[in-house]
């Protein structure tokens, strides 16, 4: 068991001992000058793993998504995405600031958008309308509960994009979790998309970094945008070295996080007055609520903290996320703490 059982997010994962060793021995250069051997290696390995021509190492998932959206949508154009998508809600308004595109959101089912409904939102060519440029998908879908977007849905949306000449981007911050849970290959999951963004700094434990993959031409334009956004980094091989450990060693173990999330959810589900839908628990994010008890949430948070358990509540929902730095004993501790608090 850890000193603190921190279930706030999988971003709290610390770099593994192997990552610290990889940092110490990484071969370094200057990535802005184009000669960073370890960054080049991570980019080549990630492009290969995801089945795309080229890759770009960036400081964050936000930058990766924002570069992709700026590549595909011009100022005044429109992007279709799910209502609670991270790209739209949780990137500090960057979409308006950087791409300058507007959003046409629609409510999905467990994060998945209905292809027919999406097709209805594609704007007909008319001088009064914005031009629809891009569809984005989030897999796994964070706000919907770390849910997996069914591959048939991904393919059906790809058909809509193709019929209307739209670009298609995947926010795959936690695509790794969907891959491990479904057994679908990463290449197959990425094939329908023009660009895919993946995070190394969540469940895969790197301290910093995301990767954007796509065609060589898109990634070259993306490299320019990254520099404009202040994302040009120098001896970033120190970080890329961790990223290489992430993609070669840390993917398979995500199944342990899913098992721990199920154990946690099964325990929480038994506690009154918590309400938890186990049907939306596909991967490592556990959401639950306690209708009518919201005024007590701050107190519960404090009492959890006294018991060395950290969790988050966002509005009316609690969130607990499993990851490499919480194990089965941390889950037991969290369940015991909740049981005591709820009496
Ligand atoms: C975390 C996350 C991102 C990127 O976030 P950063 O904090 O900028 O790395 C993008 N999309 C989703 C779904 C995420 O959960």
């Amino acid at each position: 068991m850890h000193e603190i059982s921190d279930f706030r997010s999988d971003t709290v994962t610390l770099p593994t001992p192997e990552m610290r060793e990889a940092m110490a021995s990484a071969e370094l250069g200057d990535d802005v000058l184009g000669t960073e051997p370890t960054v080049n290696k991570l980019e080549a390995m990630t492009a290969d793993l995801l089945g795309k021509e080229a890759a770009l190492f960036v400081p964050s998932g936000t930058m990766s998504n924002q570069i992709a959206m700026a590549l595909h949508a011009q100022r005044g154009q429109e992007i279709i995405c799910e209502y609670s998508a991270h790209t739209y809600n949780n990137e500090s308004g960057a979409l308006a600031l950087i791409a300058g595109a507007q959003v046409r959101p629609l409510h999905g089912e467990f994060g998945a958008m209905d292809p027919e409904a999406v097709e209805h939102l594609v704007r007909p060519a008319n001088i009064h309308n914005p031009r629809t440029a891009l569809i984005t998908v989030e897999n796994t879908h964070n706000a919907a509960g770390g849910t997996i977007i069914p591959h048939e849905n991904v393919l059906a949306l790809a058909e809509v994009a193709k019929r209307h000449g739209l670009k298609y981007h995947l926010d795959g911050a936690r695509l790794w979790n969907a891959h491990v849970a479904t057994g679908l290959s990463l290449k197959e999951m990425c094939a329908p998309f023009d660009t895919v963004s993946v995070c190394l700094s969540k469940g895969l434990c790197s301290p910093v970094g995301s990767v954007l993959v796509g065609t060589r031409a898109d990634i070259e334009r993306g490299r320019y945008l990254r520099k404009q956004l202040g994302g040009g980094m120098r001896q970033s091989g120190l970080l890329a070295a961790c990223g290489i450990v992430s993609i070669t060693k840390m993917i398979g173990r995500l199944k342990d996080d899913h098992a721990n999330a199920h154990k946690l959810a099964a325990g929480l589900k038994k506690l009154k007055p918590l309400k938890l839908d186990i049907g939306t628990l596909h991967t490592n994010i556990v959401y639950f609520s306690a209708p009518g008890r919201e005024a007590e949430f701050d107190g519960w948070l404090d009492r959890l903290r006294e018991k060395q358990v950290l969790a988050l509540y966002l509005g009316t929902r609690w969130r607990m996320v499993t990851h490499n730095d919480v194990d089965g004993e941390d889950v037991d501790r969290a369940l015991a703490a909740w049981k005591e608090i709820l009496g």
Side-chain angles (χ1 to χ4, degrees):
M1 186 158 51
H2 301 83
E3 199 180 327
I4 303 280
S5 303
D6 191 347
F7 291 91
R8 289 173 301 168
S9 176
D10 44 9
T11 57
V12 303
T13 42
L14 297 180
T16 64
E18 193 175 352
M19 287 178 182
R20 290 179 185 261
E21 278 170 35
M23 289 180 107
S25 61
E27 204 188 326
L28 302 176
D30 186 324
D31 190 47
V32 179
L33 298 180
T35 53
E36 221 309 333
T38 306
V39 170
N40 291 348
K41 187 172 165 189
L42 171 67
E43 289 179 345
M45 287 173 77
T46 310
D48 187 52
L49 183 66
L50 303 183
K52 298 293 185 198
E53 281 176 15
L56 181 69
F57 182 50
V58 294
S60 69
T62 297
M63 191 182 288
S64 187
N65 281 326
Q66 294 300 328
I67 288 173
M69 291 187 289
L71 285 174
H72 300 315
Q74 306 306 308
R75 298 185 80 77
Q77 294 186 340
E78 203 161 67
I79 297 174
I80 298 174
C81 71
E82 204 280 326
Y83 209 88
S84 56
H86 195 281
T87 47
Y88 172 41
N89 298 281
N90 306 107
E91 301 189 0
S92 319
L95 187 48
L97 190 71
I98 298 165
Q102 64 184 31
V103 172
R104 193 109 195 260
L106 84 158
H107 289 284
E109 197 182 348
F110 306 131
M113 298 182 286
D114 172 35
E116 268 181 50
V118 168
E119 191 146 28
H120 278 298
L121 293 187
V122 177
R123 305 278 193 172
N126 177 315
I127 197 168
H128 300 286
N129 294 343
R131 189 171 103 59
T132 309
L134 170 69
I135 300 172
T136 65
V137 167
E138 184 173 314
N139 194 13
T140 64
H141 195 294
N142 184 350
T147 50
I148 296 165
I149 307 301
H151 195 58
E152 315 80 70
N153 181 259
V154 167
L155 293 174
L157 291 170
E159 284 303 313
V160 175
K162 196 183 283 171
R163 265 200 295 284
H164 297 277
L166 312 178
K167 296 290 183 175
Y168 195 30
H169 171 69
L170 173 62
D171 175 0
R174 294 188 182 80
L175 184 66
W176 321 109
N177 295 83
H179 157 65
V180 165
T182 60
L184 279 174
S185 78
L186 288 162
K187 287 191 177 72
E188 192 175 353
M189 298 177 97
C190 294
F193 295 97
D194 294 291
T195 48
V196 177
S197 168
V198 287
C199 286
L200 306 172
S201 68
K202 295 186 170 169
L204 301 191
C205 300
S206 277
V208 174
S210 284
V211 183
L212 180 69
V213 297
T215 63
R216 208 173 302 285
D218 276 345
I219 294 305
E220 278 322 301
R221 286 171 58 220
R223 200 172 291 283
Y224 200 88
L225 274 164
R226 182 186 67 175
K227 183 70 168 61
Q228 290 179 315
L229 294 170
M233 299 178 286
R234 311 288 184 194
Q235 285 74 48
S236 38
L238 283 174
L239 302 173
C242 297
I244 290 170
V245 176
S246 284
I247 62 170
T248 55
K249 303 284 175 67
M250 304 303 291
I251 298 174
R253 63 151 305 285
L254 294 172
K255 66 179 188 316
D256 299 340
D257 299 344
H258 301 172
N260 283 331
H262 272 91
K263 179 176 165 182
L264 177 66
L268 290 170
K269 197 175 163 56
K270 290 192 205 128
L271 302 179
K272 282 198 173 93
L274 303 185
K275 288 262 173 296
L276 182 152
D277 178 6
I278 223 143
T280 64
L281 177 59
H282 298 177
T283 56
N284 68 327
I285 304 180
V286 181
Y287 278 106
F288 52 98
S289 60
R293 304 288 293 270
E294 288 78 9
E296 294 166 73
F297 284 7
D298 274 327
W300 293 354
L301 201 60
D302 289 342
R303 293 195 57 200
L304 283 171
R305 198 180 299 116
E306 283 163 16
K307 297 173 193 307
Q308 279 72 48
V309 176
L310 301 184
L312 274 186
Y313 74 83
L314 310 148
T316 58
R317 292 199 301 176
W318 284 83
R319 189 178 91 156
M320 294 179 77
V321 183
T322 54
H323 51 76
N324 187 50
D325 293 359
V326 287
D327 57 23
E329 291 183 359
D330 293 295
V331 170
D332 292 337
R333 176 202 256 168
L335 288 173
W338 272 111
K339 210 169 186 168
E340 210 180 308
I341 291 165
L342 299 173

